[in-house]
Amino acid sequence: MKTRAVVLHKIGHERPYTETKPLTIEEVELGEPGYEEVLVKIKAAGICHSDLSVVDGNRPRPVPMVLGHEASGIIEKVGEHVKGFEVGDHVVFAFLPSCGQCKYCQSGRTALCEPGAAANTAGTLLNGDKKITKNGETYYHHLGVSGFADYSVASIHSLVKIDKNIPFDIAAIFGCAILTGVGAVVHTAEMHAGESVMVVGLGGVGLSAILGAQAAGASKIIAADINPYKLDVAKDFGADDVVNSSDKDAMEKVKNMTDKGPDISLEFAGAMPALDFAFNATNRGGRTVTAALPHPDSRLSLNPLTLVGQEKTLKGCYLGSSSPKVDIPNFMDMYQAGRLPVEKLITHRMKLEDINEGFERLAAGEAIRQVIIFD
Ligand SMILES: [Zn+2]
Ligand SMILES: [Zn+2]
């Protein structure tokens, strides 16, 4: 079938994207859903910083690629051997498929699924399929989702069935921002009620972490960024204190806001000074979690004596160390109960045609979550 899709033909574009227009909307051919695959009519898709990282070259991926890795929709057609999903189901995409068979999936650490990661790196669906073509040329899939399109073919191992009462725009952002941000707090950092938390880097994921820390009973939440607009937004999300991490005395301020530093620091900025700040601000015995995706050539310099003498932990976090099929419905229950007001994340609702404007707004730091709404 034919579908409209947002295509990136080369990585490493200059701004402003409103002029350079790195993304084109094209009519492409979408293959039939095969073994354990379904056709999804996309209803909403969020623009995430990791999409921007592919456009600006920080996160190299094979091209041409249909972008978008945070989406929701309705199943329109099922391929062979599809169990647990049927036509009409509402679904959210998880940006890492879980094969269910590898040692990580078997032990519940689906965020580390090896075949899933290999397929994402190769730009294919979980089983190696590529379903998008144009004039005989094959296009790559973005993290098994390629959600900036009217339709997508996906592996059922990339999908989570959801409650039909959840609006699609809200549902979409559970697939990346909320899963990663809330998961970083409750799974990776294993926060206990009463602990103090600092969040560094206040995009959609960072602000989701603030909501997660609040829901999980943090005693104090500090928000840090270099963008004053983001600091204002963070107050509205429930941050008790904010600090501009580019200020000379930022470290001293954070130490004074807490009992000599937060028990947990979470870093989502993807810049080495931000991770350095998060690690050094963390109190003795504390945990520093990073879920950002810096450029592959980035290197971190840290004092190992601090790690030892102060028993600090530095932990990486992918997909919020979550199991999407368990955590997305659980986090959605929290949303429905009013304990995770994720609607605050959505600053813009837009049309697919305005995709380059959306990327420019994100790059300029003028938006939190922008969600593309499909008819
Ligand atoms: Zn994302
Ligand atoms: Zn696996």
Side-chain angles (χ1 to χ4, degrees):
M1 68 178 289
K2 302 264 188 231
T3 185
R4 275 189 318 162
V6 168
V7 184
L8 181 73
H9 283 275
K10 87 171 177 73
I11 58 166
H13 285 264
E14 298 294 317
R15 288 178 57 203
Y17 301 133
T18 39
E19 282 168 30
T20 59
K21 298 201 186 306
L23 299 158
T24 51
I25 298 174
E26 301 175 19
E27 190 177 77
V28 298
E29 186 68 33
L30 195 57
E32 288 288 310
Y35 187 83
E36 295 189 332
E37 290 168 354
V38 297
L39 173 70
V40 180
K41 177 166 179 25
I42 305 291
K43 296 296 288 181
I47 305 182
C48 171
H49 209 279
S50 310
D51 298 308
L52 180 59
S53 299
V54 182
V55 173
D56 69 17
N58 261 316
R59 189 95 178 128
R61 296 277 176 198
V63 287
M65 176 176 271
V66 176
L67 282 192
H69 67 276
E70 188 184 81
S72 63
I74 303 175
I75 294 184
E76 278 218 350
K77 200 174 196 179
V78 298
E80 29 162 336
H81 202 260
V82 167
K83 293 197 174 130
F85 293 92
E86 54 190 49
V87 171
D89 281 348
H90 291 198
V91 290
V92 165
F93 290 80
F95 66 84
L96 178 73
S98 45
C99 75
Q101 304 298 321
C102 73
K103 71 172 181 180
Y104 297 105
C105 285
Q106 294 272 319
S107 60
R109 301 187 73 187
T110 56
L112 298 177
C113 176
E114 282 185 317
N120 278 0
T121 302
T124 68
L125 300 183
L126 180 62
N127 60 8
D129 277 0
K130 292 203 281 282
K131 294 285 176 180
I132 314 160
T133 54
K134 187 180 173 186
N135 302 331
E137 186 183 11
T138 305
Y139 287 4
Y140 291 95
H141 294 258
H142 191 200
L143 306 180
V145 182
S146 291
F148 297 158
D150 290 320
Y151 287 89
S152 175
V153 169
S155 165
I156 56 170
H157 303 289
S158 294
L159 294 172
V160 178
K161 192 170 150 176
I162 59 161
D163 183 337
K164 288 184 178 172
N165 292 315
I166 308 263
F168 287 110
D169 53 350
I170 298 286
I173 59 175
F174 276 85
C176 177
I178 295 159
L179 195 62
T180 306
V182 179
V185 174
V186 299
H187 294 313
T188 321
E190 298 178 276
M191 196 204 100
H192 310 298
E195 289 190 300
S196 56
V197 174
M198 176 169 72
V199 176
V200 183
L202 303 171
V205 180
L207 292 166
S208 296
I210 290 180
L211 297 179
Q214 223 176 12
S219 59
K220 181 159 215 176
I221 301 171
I222 300 168
D225 203 292
I226 55 173
N227 177 338
Y229 157 66
K230 301 278 181 75
L231 295 176
D232 279 344
V233 173
K235 285 181 202 155
D236 180 50
F237 273 69
D240 300 297
D241 273 314
V242 298
V243 62
N244 191 318
S245 45
S246 63
D247 287 354
K248 275 204 191 83
D249 57 349
M251 186 67 69
E252 199 188 325
K253 280 182 185 158
V254 172
K255 298 275 179 188
N256 290 335
M257 286 167 184
T258 50
D259 180 19
K260 303 190 191 86
D263 300 311
I264 295 168
S265 295
L266 304 136
E267 186 266 327
F268 303 103
M272 288 309 100
L275 181 52
D276 193 64
F277 179 71
F279 180 76
N280 287 316
T282 307
N283 204 350
R284 293 166 67 80
R287 290 95 82 198
T288 307
V289 167
T290 175
L293 297 165
H295 190 278
D297 295 338
S298 303
R299 294 292 178 272
L300 175 69
S301 158
L302 60 81
N303 179 354
L305 193 58
T306 320
L307 209 59
V308 175
Q310 299 187 17
E311 285 205 347
K312 285 191 178 185
T313 305
L314 175 60
K315 221 170 162 186
C317 162
Y318 195 62
L319 201 75
S321 311
S322 297
S323 296
K325 282 184 198 299
V326 177
D327 288 304
I328 288 180
N330 284 350
F331 295 164
M332 283 185 168
D333 283 349
M334 291 169 71
Y335 160 72
Q336 285 179 311
R339 285 195 282 275
L340 213 52
V342 304
E343 67 281 356
K344 288 183 182 179
L345 288 165
I346 303 177
T347 51
H348 299 75
R349 288 175 176 81
M350 51 183 274
K351 287 182 182 309
L352 191 69
E353 289 84 346
D354 300 326
I355 190 81
N356 286 303
E357 286 74 12
F359 272 79
E360 180 55 30
R361 257 195 306 266
L362 180 61
E366 292 164 358
I368 305 300
R369 241 348 172 238
Q370 307 177 79
V371 180
I372 300 163
I373 309 291
F374 296 83
D375 298 330

